[in-house]
Amino acid sequence: MERVNTKRINLGKNTIIGGQNKVLIQSMCNIKTSFSTKIIDQINECAHYGADLMRVSILDDKDLDSIKEIMDSIEIPLVADIHYNYHFAIDAINKGVNKIRINPGNLNNLNEYLEILNAAKKHNTAIRIGVNAGSLKNDNKLKVSDLLVNKALEYLHFAEEHDFYNLVLSLKTSNPLETIEAYTKISNLVNYPLHIGLTESGFDEIGIIRSIATLSPLLLKGIGDTIRISLTSDPIKEIMTCKRLLHDIGLYKNYPTLISCPTCGRTEVNIKPLAKKVLNYLEDNSINLKVAVMGCPVNGIGEGKDADIGLAGGKEKYLLFKKGQLIKTVDEENAFNALVSEINSMIKN
Ligand code: SF4
């Protein structure tokens, strides 16, 4: 897939955002930043599951005080998220964060914004200008997407006029269509890397569906250098959702594909627990295979023939198959172990 060739921004810790680099996955810690041990554990766990960078909120001096310890204990770039208080932004930059996220519209005036730009220039720190629909003034004459684009351009041009170019942009709303429109417009106007995502998307399937409805059309047009899927949930869930989305549209290679049938009147066993167990195993062990878990022995092998390997569940026996060919039959209690053993021999060869 051809991607928009944006400017490359160095985030430190061997991470580049933009250009033809991979789409970076990110999330945000949901623990107060001053609880540094917990934050470090969460960031390292997120990195283990595939986060390329992580963001933390800076709300007070205690949060600022923990930045150095956090920076020293993690391998991926740290982004500090600051609203309203420009001193916090400058302090976070001075303490060495790799990027800050601000919405200049939340500051008191442009002088405060300029002071942040000057500090970031001195430390070579990247800034994400994050404009959200919630911070815009109502204007019945303009569409939300145009308001977002105009605001982002205003802050971007101000930075450029002051010789600052180390920028990433985001323009978020909680409405998929407005968000798609805003990112499509800004992508045609500037070549800075774009952090794409939907804000306040909701929980579980609601948030996942809404986010994917927004991000997929953009990513398929080559728009987006880093993604966050904001869910009312755990950051690990956000990261896993990002990975699955990127994998399914061909932007994340080293990841398993699990297929399982929808089940029907021919279904003889409950395949959902088995399918979940198989997916967890594949993900935990980073096994890049296509694996099928099907609900009946009659059609299961045929419908799962595109998979590298699979199981078709039956009342009497489970059928273990590879590329549509039966390998052997196994009892239900041995089905998972038989599949795993065959997978392990495949990846060794
Ligand atoms: S594999 Fe079998 S149980 Fe699953 S949908 Fe097809 S026919 Fe139905």
Side-chain angles (χ1 to χ4, degrees):
M1 182 189 314
E2 199 172 331
R3 308 236 335 269
V4 175
N5 194 9
T6 50
K7 186 175 155 62
R8 287 164 63 87
I9 301 288
N10 188 349
L11 296 183
K13 303 213 175 200
N14 300 317
T15 305
I16 300 283
I17 181 171
Q20 296 294 313
N21 193 20
K22 67 175 184 172
V23 177
L24 301 181
I25 292 172
Q26 63 172 290
S27 181
M28 187 165 183
C29 291
N30 59 358
I31 300 164
K32 183 152 167 43
T33 306
S34 55
F35 300 151
S36 52
T37 306
K38 286 185 178 170
I39 286 276
I40 290 164
D41 288 347
Q42 187 169 61
I43 292 176
N44 287 334
E45 192 182 8
C46 287
H48 168 77
Y49 280 98
D52 296 299
L53 59 155
M54 285 295 290
R55 184 158 45 118
V56 293
S57 315
I58 302 297
L59 303 178
D60 53 35
D61 289 332
K62 285 184 181 166
D63 291 340
L64 283 165
D65 288 344
S66 56
I67 285 177
K68 187 165 182 329
E69 185 190 351
I70 296 168
M71 289 290 293
D72 288 344
S73 309
I74 61 172
E75 304 291 328
I76 57 174
L78 185 72
V79 185
D81 189 276
I82 295 121
H83 288 279
Y84 309 114
N85 189 325
Y86 80 108
H87 291 294
F88 288 168
I90 292 169
D91 283 354
I93 291 167
N94 289 338
K95 286 178 185 295
V97 295
N98 303 102
K99 183 166 77 143
I100 61 161
R101 181 265 161 155
I102 54 167
N103 178 355
N106 289 341
L107 301 171
N108 288 313
N109 53 58
L110 287 174
N111 281 339
E112 293 181 355
Y113 179 34
L114 180 56
E115 288 204 37
I116 295 172
L117 293 173
N118 287 336
K121 199 191 300 179
K122 186 171 157 198
H123 292 271
N124 200 24
T125 310
I127 296 180
R128 167 158 70 99
I129 298 174
V131 184
N132 278 6
S135 67
L136 299 174
K137 290 200 176 70
N138 278 342
D139 183 334
N140 294 331
K141 292 190 205 111
L142 286 178
K143 293 168 88 171
V144 170
S145 60
D146 289 321
L147 288 168
L148 284 166
V149 168
N150 290 348
K151 269 292 161 204
L153 289 176
E154 181 185 324
Y155 300 137
L156 167 72
H157 290 150
F158 184 87
E160 288 180 335
E161 280 161 19
H162 294 87
D163 216 15
F164 189 87
Y165 307 94
N166 212 5
L167 294 167
V168 177
L169 301 177
S170 66
L171 299 82
K172 295 189 185 179
T173 81
S174 55
N175 179 303
L177 297 180
E178 286 173 353
T179 305
I180 292 169
E181 202 170 79
Y183 278 110
T184 304
K185 285 177 181 171
I186 198 83
S187 172
N188 286 324
L189 296 171
V190 303
N191 81 332
Y192 287 97
L194 297 179
H195 162 130
I196 62 171
L198 191 73
T199 189
E200 297 119 21
S201 65
F203 60 89
D204 297 341
E205 286 84 357
I206 294 171
I208 291 172
I209 291 166
R210 209 173 273 152
S211 293
I212 286 174
T214 309
L215 296 186
S216 296
L218 291 167
L219 291 165
L220 289 169
K221 282 192 271 187
I223 298 171
D225 300 280
T226 178
I227 61 171
R228 179 185 178 203
I229 291 183
S230 309
L231 299 172
T232 312
S233 187
D234 188 77
I236 303 283
K237 185 157 185 175
E238 294 191 355
I239 291 156
M240 297 309 288
T241 309
C242 290
K243 267 164 71 166
R244 288 170 186 155
L245 167 62
L246 293 176
H247 171 71
D248 285 342
I249 58 174
L251 289 170
Y252 195 97
K253 302 290 176 223
N254 194 19
Y255 189 74
T257 303
L258 178 94
I259 56 173
S260 58
C261 78
T263 71
C264 69
R266 295 181 193 86
T267 312
E268 295 183 358
V269 290
N270 180 9
I271 60 164
K272 192 173 166 187
L274 177 62
K276 280 188 164 180
K277 196 170 167 186
V278 171
L279 178 62
N280 288 343
Y281 183 82
L282 297 171
E283 286 181 341
D284 288 348
N285 294 284
S286 302
I287 295 170
N288 187 13
L289 287 177
K290 188 169 186 178
V291 180
V293 179
M294 311 299 280
C296 76
V298 182
N299 290 345
I301 293 184
E303 291 183 19
K305 68 177 184 304
D306 286 341
D308 297 304
I309 187 166
L311 279 170
K315 236 181 344 210
E316 306 293 326
K317 289 281 181 189
Y318 276 58
L319 311 185
L320 182 64
F321 61 91
K322 273 187 188 172
K323 296 278 183 197
Q325 299 298 317
L326 178 66
I327 302 296
K328 60 178 165 184
T329 58
V330 285
D331 295 334
E332 182 175 8
E333 61 266 30
N334 296 322
F336 175 77
N337 287 343
L339 177 73
V340 163
S341 149
E342 203 62 43
I343 285 172
N344 288 333
S345 66
M346 286 167 80
I347 56 176
K348 269 190 207 129
N349 294 329

